[in-house]
Amino acid sequence: MGKIIALANQKGGVGKTTTSMNLAASLATLEQRVLLIDADPQANASSGLGVNIQEVETSIYDCLIGQKDAREAIYETDVPGLDIIPSHIDLVGAEIEMLNLDGREQVMRRVLRPLLSDYDYILIDCSPSLGLITVNALTAADSVIIPVQCEYFALEGISKLLNTIKIIKQKLNPALEIEGFLLTMYDSRLRLANQIKDEVQRHFQELVFKTVITRNVKLSEAPSHGIPAILYDADSAGARNHLALAQEIINKNEE
């Protein structure tokens, strides 16, 4: 049975989509069967993995709103073993459309359940908000990865996200765990980055991944070519960081 991991942080610009794409590609490189769900209306993870957004016929929007079979929305990527269910700009209005649905917080869980036997990991790239789609993702997930950028205001909003996770655990998904806090955009030369790294590690202790994602220009360049960093430049720090993160997650889940 596969494990569903949501990547969530309502603060934008923390490297969430970059992590989603590159972690998914790295897990697949380590011979895991991986499905990435792009649950962000901006659809950056979809285009970053080579999906032509204009030509998408069935997206996660159609699965959530139109009750389309999720298997109809699966696209293969250039990374062997990595599939994606792309997003669509229509997802912006999905939260309003879902308000009248029965069990509206459970829709994504129902969509993803039939796919669990096909994959080792299903990753959900959430939008930078705590709206109904993100609540759906957290209700469907077994665990959540929280990217935290090593910059000023990094910890702002984390308490709100943790409170949301707590409420979802109480009311919708008692099994939801924190997979880990992931430090992103780290530059060891900056004193502030080191201070934030220390602060996060002191505050969340063993919940912080040992792997840290460093600032890396290749990570920024790769999506414009429609491929993850591991295909763009396998020797880059960004590719190596995400491969280490993938290995850390696999090791943790095999214990």
Side-chain angles (χ1 to χ4, degrees), residues 1-5 35 37 69-71 85 106-119 122 124 136-143 172-173 175-176:
M1 281 290 272
K3 179 169 192 177
I4 302 177
I5 304 177
L35 175 65
I37 312 293
D69 185 337
R71 286 193 174 86
I85 294 184
Q106 312 273 355
V107 180
M108 194 175 292
R109 176 185 270 175
R110 292 197 292 269
V111 166
L112 297 183
R113 283 287 136 199
L115 304 176
L116 275 174
S117 56
D118 298 345
Y119 295 97
I122 297 178
I124 309 174
N136 259 267
L138 293 172
T139 303
D142 298 301
S143 65
L172 296 164
N173 183 6
L176 182 65

Side-chain angles (χ1 to χ4, degrees), residues 101-255:
L101 297 178
D102 286 336
R104 58 179 181 244
E105 298 90 355
Q106 312 273 355
V107 180
M108 194 175 292
R109 176 185 270 175
R110 292 197 292 269
V111 166
L112 297 183
R113 283 287 136 199
L115 304 176
L116 275 174
S117 56
D118 298 345
Y119 295 97
D120 298 305
Y121 291 94
I122 297 178
L123 304 184
I124 309 174
D125 181 29
C126 299
S127 67
S129 77
L130 290 179
L132 188 53
I133 303 286
T134 299
V135 168
N136 259 267
L138 293 172
T139 303
D142 298 301
S143 65
V144 54
I145 291 173
I146 302 169
V148 182
Q149 90 279 33
C150 296
E151 292 176 358
Y152 199 57
F153 295 137
L155 299 176
E156 199 181 63
I158 282 189
S159 58
K160 196 181 267 184
L161 176 60
L162 293 177
N163 197 40
T164 301
I165 290 169
K166 188 172 154 196
I167 292 166
I168 286 169
K169 267 180 80 95
Q170 286 170 348
K171 303 206 159 142
L172 296 164
N173 183 6
L176 182 65
E177 299 291 338
I178 290 175
E179 187 78 24
F181 289 86
L182 176 68
L183 291 157
T184 63
M185 305 182 191
Y186 175 66
D187 186 339
S188 60
R189 297 166 302 179
L190 300 179
R191 197 172 73 202
L192 177 65
N194 287 302
Q195 284 173 345
I196 287 165
K197 180 171 176 263
D198 293 344
E199 195 176 338
V200 171
Q201 288 171 335
R202 189 175 65 249
H203 200 75
F204 297 110
Q205 296 173 0
E206 73 279 357
L207 281 176
V208 182
F209 285 110
K210 290 182 180 64
T211 305
V212 174
I213 310 298
T214 51
R215 274 204 174 280
N216 179 241
V217 70
K218 302 289 189 197
L219 275 181
S220 313
E221 291 172 357
S224 65
H225 297 270
I227 50 175
I230 203 156
L231 292 186
Y232 183 63
D233 183 352
D235 285 331
S236 66
R240 290 201 310 271
N241 289 164
H242 285 95
L243 212 48
L245 174 65
Q247 191 63 64
E248 191 175 339
I249 288 170
I250 291 168
N251 294 347
K252 183 179 173 187
N253 286 291
E254 282 176 352
E255 281 174 9

Side-chain angles (χ1 to χ4, degrees), residues 30-44:
L30 294 172
E31 301 187 336
Q32 305 295 305
R33 296 166 305 158
V34 186
L35 175 65
L36 177 59
I37 312 293
D38 188 351
D40 184 344
Q42 295 175 70
N44 290 339

Side-chain angles (χ1 to χ4, degrees), residues 4-18:
I4 302 177
I5 304 177
L7 287 95
N9 190 333
Q10 79 275 20
K11 192 172 184 306
V14 299
K16 187 173 43 56
T17 297
T18 300

